[in-house]
Amino acid sequence: MLKVGLTGGIGAGKSEVSRLLVSYGAVLIDADRIAREVVEPGTPGLAAVVEAFGDGVLTGEGALDRPKLGSIVFADPDRLATLNAIVHPLVGARSAELEGRAGSGDVVVHDVPLLAENGLAPLYDLVVVVDASPETQLDRLVRLRGMAESEARNRMAAQVTRARRLEVADVVIDNDGPLDALEPQVRKVWEELERRAAGTA
């Protein structure tokens, strides 16, 4: 099994890269998806979030109001740290459980947005960073996701710098350009991952 950490700044295009890798045969463990699962209604994770942030972060149906919570934590580093201390251990445990189901020859890609922030690079055989300039990130968040520019800048500021993220990279995928320039790069990376997984690298 080859354990790959995949990361990138918000708006860099990491989700598209993970989608391509899955289409080639990777086993994907998506930390964002797991982070949503561990705070679903009825979970201990959601109870802990409500205890820390109050009932105001719930919708009328009792689910987590993610935009409301996001507006709180991304404007306050201390509140963000509080949330991360609740969610990250739950995500880690679930990720380990899913990884344990993979086969010995699989390429297991852990899609981890905060890999650099949390010093997780040593957990993986290889770290792949999807890179885009801050200008490109901002444009995508505002134009494609409909974020207000101030919110987009807050979310970008809550992450590590581009330079810090690149420091932990074994492989960098440049996604500053159009989508059709991305696929050939990802295909080439996948071929290398397969070779490593087969023990021939």
Side-chain angles (χ1 to χ4, degrees):
M1 180 192 304
L2 185 73
K3 295 196 291 184
V4 178
L6 175 68
T7 195
I10 186 169
K14 180 174 50 59
S15 296
E16 183 61 23
V17 171
S18 65
R19 186 191 66 76
L20 287 167
L21 289 171
V22 168
S23 75
Y24 303 148
V27 175
L28 180 67
I29 298 177
D30 184 336
D32 264 354
R33 184 177 303 155
I34 295 169
R36 288 191 290 272
E37 290 174 1
V38 299
V39 291
E40 285 178 349
T43 60
L46 182 58
V49 170
V50 171
E51 185 177 339
F53 294 93
D55 291 338
V57 297
L58 294 177
T59 66
E61 293 75 40
L64 185 63
D65 186 335
R66 298 181 70 83
K68 178 71 177 294
L69 182 60
S71 69
I72 295 169
V73 300
F74 288 112
D76 184 337
D78 290 336
R79 305 301 297 278
L80 180 59
T82 298
L83 178 64
N84 288 343
I86 295 168
V87 175
H88 289 171
L90 299 171
V91 172
R94 178 65 173 150
S95 296
E97 179 186 336
L98 293 172
E99 184 183 280
R101 299 178 187 173
S104 59
D106 284 337
V107 175
V108 179
V109 174
H110 288 261
D111 182 333
V112 185
L114 301 179
L115 186 151
E117 285 84 344
N118 294 323
L120 302 178
L123 297 179
Y124 308 105
D125 300 312
L126 197 78
V127 172
V128 177
V129 170
V130 185
D131 183 54
S133 69
E135 295 78 15
T136 298
Q137 290 176 261
L138 184 63
D139 174 67
R140 288 174 180 160
L141 294 175
V142 172
R143 185 169 50 85
L144 302 179
R145 296 200 199 176
M147 282 188 192
E149 184 173 332
S150 59
E151 181 188 358
R153 289 186 183 278
N154 279 343
R155 297 214 173 197
M156 290 169 63
Q159 298 186 326
V160 295
T161 63
R162 183 185 189 186
R164 170 88 182 280
R165 195 177 294 110
L166 290 172
E167 282 176 9
V168 304
D170 296 298
V171 176
V172 177
I173 294 175
D174 177 8
N175 193 27
D176 221 24
L179 196 59
D180 59 5
L182 183 64
E183 199 278 338
Q185 288 188 77
V186 181
R187 170 67 73 174
K188 187 175 179 182
V189 169
W190 171 249
E191 290 168 357
E192 172 65 15
L193 297 179
E194 279 197 306
R195 279 195 294 273
R196 290 188 180 227
T200 59

